[in-house]
Amino acid sequence: MRPSTSIPAISTTRAEADTLAPVDGLSWRRYERRVKRLDLARVRICRRCGRGRADLQGADGTSLVVPLDAVRARELERPGEIDDVPWLSTLVVGLLAAQHREVREVVLDVAEHGLRALVSFAHGEEIDVIACTAQEGIGLVVRSGVPLY
């Protein structure tokens, strides 16, 4: 068995971020104007195959559809119900809270091979960013109530 390795997170403070050279030529504050806040409008589930999709809506009418596997669709369809075992997203939010880290936001990002979610969490002035699948990111939004962009 191979020993587990630590996955590094991108870590910076807001002050450090303001001094970094922007990759796309935009400053940190101008980046905030380019992203759109999204809300989970509904989860649709196919009656035949069980797969689903998350319909996300912006205040300006922007919409985005994220495909979901059958199990994730059922999880997101009924977020307030208690299951026989807790979901991983519930555990992650709890572990971060126990370490005095707060999930701040989830940003959906188009990566080289598809859509991913960038999850930012804070510990004091330090901000860390980790990547996960778009489905996992939407699950974290449902469990923690943080904004989705």
Side-chain angles (χ1 to χ4, degrees), residues 69-80:
D69 61 59
V71 174
R72 180 79 61 188
R74 297 271 186 260
E75 171 197 1
L76 298 179
E77 180 185 41
R78 42 191 181 88

Side-chain angles (χ1 to χ4, degrees), residues 104-142:
R104 286 285 183 88
E105 65 187 9
V106 175
V107 178
L108 297 178
D109 178 49
V110 179
E112 182 180 345
H113 299 291
L115 195 63
R116 67 178 177 177
L118 302 175
V119 180
S120 66
F121 54 94
H123 180 66
E125 284 292 311
E126 186 177 306
I127 299 171
D128 293 324
V129 177
I130 56 173
C132 62
T133 68
Q135 292 184 23
E136 292 168 333
I138 294 169
L140 278 172
V141 166
V142 169

Side-chain angles (χ1 to χ4, degrees), residues 25-92:
L26 299 175
S27 72
W28 178 273
R29 286 174 179 68
R30 285 192 55 212
Y31 164 78
E32 291 174 345
R33 288 186 222 135
R34 292 183 59 213
V35 297
K36 296 181 182 184
R37 172 81 186 259
L38 298 170
D39 292 310
L40 180 62
R42 67 181 157 213
V43 174
R44 294 185 181 191
I45 299 175
C46 176
R47 291 182 189 161
R48 269 189 300 120
C49 67
R51 286 182 293 199
R53 67 184 202 187
D55 292 337
L56 307 173
Q57 293 256 306
D60 63 353
T62 303
S63 64
L64 177 67
V65 175
V66 178
L68 303 170
D69 61 59
V71 174
R72 180 79 61 188
R74 297 271 186 260
E75 171 197 1
L76 298 179
E77 180 185 41
R78 42 191 181 88
E81 291 183 27
I82 298 174
D83 292 312
D84 54 345
V85 293
W87 289 95
L88 180 61
S89 55
T90 305
L91 175 68
V92 168

Side-chain angles (χ1 to χ4, degrees), residues 1-9 130:
M1 180 182 288
R2 295 178 59 193
S4 64
T5 58
S6 174
I7 300 173
I130 56 173

